[in-house]
Amino acid sequence: MARIIAVAVPKGGAGKTSTTLNLGAALAARGQRVLLIDFDPQGNLSLSLRATPVSPSLYSTIREFITTWEPHIERVIVPSSIPNVDVVPTDVWLNESDEELRSADRREYVLRKLLEPVSPAYDFVLIDTLPYFGMLVKNALVAADELIIPMQAEFLATQSIEMMLKLVERIQRSGLNPLLRVLGVLVTQVDLRTNMGRQAEGYARTEFLGRVPIFTTAVKRTVRMAESQAMGQSLLQYDPDGEAAAAYRTLAEEVLNAA
Ligand SMILES: Nc1ncnc2c1ncn2[C@@H]1O[C@H](COP(=O)(O)OP(=O)(O)OP(=O)(O)O)[C@@H](O)[C@H]1O
Ligand SMILES: [Mg+2]
């Protein structure tokens, strides 16, 4: 079975989508078969991969599933431009699922059930999420075995990590997903040009020391990130010799070693 990893934190711009895409690309470069799920109606992951939603869409697949309970997510999986990486693209219609899921039976388990038949074909399933705690994020956290929490290297970001950890505790204690494991907090967008940027990484590491694993790898801020997304490529394709691509390769090592 695949290791299913959700990438989540209730803060916009933390680096969830960039991490899902580039960690996926780095794992694939190590020969892993990877499925990326764009579970954010903003559709940034799909856009970054130039993957347009197919018909039927993820939204209609969820809608049909909650009445029939016949899982057919395979219909919405498409190959990406990255070898070994498939993707389930989405668009703004997925917002409707958040509402519709509320009245579904076993409403937190829908994504988990949908993934069951396809996950044996992959080594990793990475789920990109939106920065708001609703049914979509809950579904991602119930479907996942593990969680990566990206954190922008700035002082305001620690509050969102606290909120995320509280939600994880709730998901575990309620029995929705007792085995959900926080793989680690990933410090992203470290700006070494400013004192604030340099201090923020150290501050985050001491703030959460002993409470939650923090990846040794940190990702520095680089203009190459936005450029690669504009070009529809992963950083490993667009700037393979850059520091950020190297960071995602080391992160992939950490993830592989944490099995
Ligand atoms: N290491 C980095 N260096 C420079 N820019 C980055 C880096 N990581 C992410 N960014 C940029 O920061 C912005 C937010 O990143 P990203 O979209 O990954 O965050 P997110 O958590 O998915 O946001 P949202 O909550 O809106 O989904 C994007 O424009 C992205 O290009
Ligand atoms: Mg995003």
Side-chain angles (χ1 to χ4, degrees):
M1 287 297 267
R3 283 172 67 187
I4 304 181
I5 304 179
V7 182
V9 70
K11 188 174 193 305
K16 295 178 286 296
T17 303
S18 311
T19 296
T20 307
L21 197 166
N22 290 296
L23 173 62
L27 288 166
R30 287 291 314 270
Q32 306 292 310
R33 297 160 303 166
V34 176
L35 174 63
L36 305 180
I37 312 277
D38 191 351
F39 219 49
D40 177 357
Q42 294 181 98
N44 290 343
L45 179 67
S46 309
L47 282 171
S48 302
L49 284 165
R50 301 281 187 279
T52 15
V54 288
S55 180
S57 63
L58 178 56
Y59 159 64
S60 57
T61 302
I62 291 173
R63 177 172 232 200
E64 188 191 300
F65 182 63
I66 58 184
T67 50
T68 64
W69 289 86
E70 282 179 42
H72 284 303
I73 203 169
E74 78 285 350
R75 295 194 299 222
V76 292
I77 297 177
V78 295
S80 79
S81 56
I82 308 168
N84 273 346
V85 177
D86 289 343
V87 56
V88 172
T90 199
D91 60 18
V92 71
W93 283 102
L94 189 67
N95 271 315
E96 300 283 320
S97 300
D98 196 88
E99 187 61 36
E100 290 174 13
L101 279 166
R102 281 168 213 279
S103 50
D105 296 333
R106 306 232 335 136
R107 58 190 188 168
E108 292 93 354
Y109 293 87
V110 171
L111 181 61
R112 184 186 185 128
K113 286 278 166 202
L114 274 172
L115 288 176
E116 262 169 23
V118 295
S119 70
Y122 297 95
D123 299 302
F124 284 91
V125 177
L126 305 184
I127 310 170
D128 187 23
T129 62
L130 63 161
Y132 147 82
F133 284 157
M135 287 312 299
L136 292 171
V137 171
K138 250 190 189 167
N139 264 267
L141 295 176
V142 171
D145 309 304
E146 298 162 290
L147 170 67
I148 292 178
I149 308 176
M151 187 184 90
Q152 240 170 315
E154 56 177 54
F155 289 95
L156 290 177
T158 51
Q159 193 194 6
S160 61
I161 310 297
E162 299 286 0
M163 281 171 67
M164 189 71 231
L165 296 177
K166 284 205 179 87
L167 182 69
V168 169
E169 214 170 87
R170 251 171 53 200
I171 298 270
Q172 292 165 330
R173 287 195 183 153
S174 66
L176 279 173
N177 188 0
L179 300 179
L180 178 64
R181 164 187 179 211
V182 180
L183 201 47
V185 170
L186 173 70
V187 184
T188 67
Q189 301 170 55
V190 181
D191 192 347
L192 293 177
R193 294 167 310 177
T194 64
N195 276 335
M196 278 291 263
R198 282 191 295 272
Q199 288 168 10
E201 183 183 356
Y203 171 73
R205 288 188 188 275
T206 41
E207 182 78 6
F208 295 106
L209 193 71
R211 286 205 290 150
V212 60
I214 303 182
F215 289 108
T216 312
T217 308
V219 186
K220 287 182 196 155
R221 186 180 289 281
T222 167
V223 68
R224 301 280 180 231
M225 182 64 86
E227 288 174 3
S228 67
Q229 286 160 348
M231 297 300 290
Q233 294 181 345
S234 76
L235 265 176
L236 283 81
Q237 294 167 304
Y238 180 74
D239 185 31
D241 300 324
E243 276 188 275
Y248 279 106
R249 279 193 289 265
T250 340
L251 177 67
E253 286 305 316
E254 285 196 63
V255 170
L256 285 165
N257 290 336

